[in-house]
Amino acid sequence: MFELDVSTDTCPMTFVRTRLQLDKMAAGEVLAVRYRGEEPRRNLARSLAEQGHAILDESHEADDCGLIRVRKSA
């Protein structure tokens, strides 16, 4: 599993950096992305799903951070 921390980035860079990491990975591999804030919470999973990737799970923490795990599509 790969990990990426975009918690210091703002949209749209949260998605851009996530997409760049996924581009380096093979189909079927899993990426865990840590983010901070409401905007990536609303948009990151939706944008990745629109790109055809599978959202495995997403969790939110009290400190406004979240973690999303995504499986890269073929």
Side-chain angles (χ1 to χ4, degrees), residues 11-58:
C11 286
M13 287 308 295
T14 53
F15 176 72
V16 171
R17 288 194 56 217
T18 302
R19 176 71 190 270
L20 289 172
Q21 179 61 47
L22 285 167
D23 287 347
K24 298 176 188 176
M25 296 168 50
E29 291 184 313
V30 175
L31 175 63
V33 182
R34 182 170 179 74
Y35 61 85
R36 178 183 301 273
E38 186 60 34
E39 194 168 0
R41 179 178 293 179
R42 287 192 317 263
N43 298 326
L44 195 54
R46 177 185 50 79
S47 297
L48 291 169
E50 287 174 357
Q51 296 288 311
H53 304 294
I55 306 305
L56 301 177
D57 56 52
E58 186 172 9

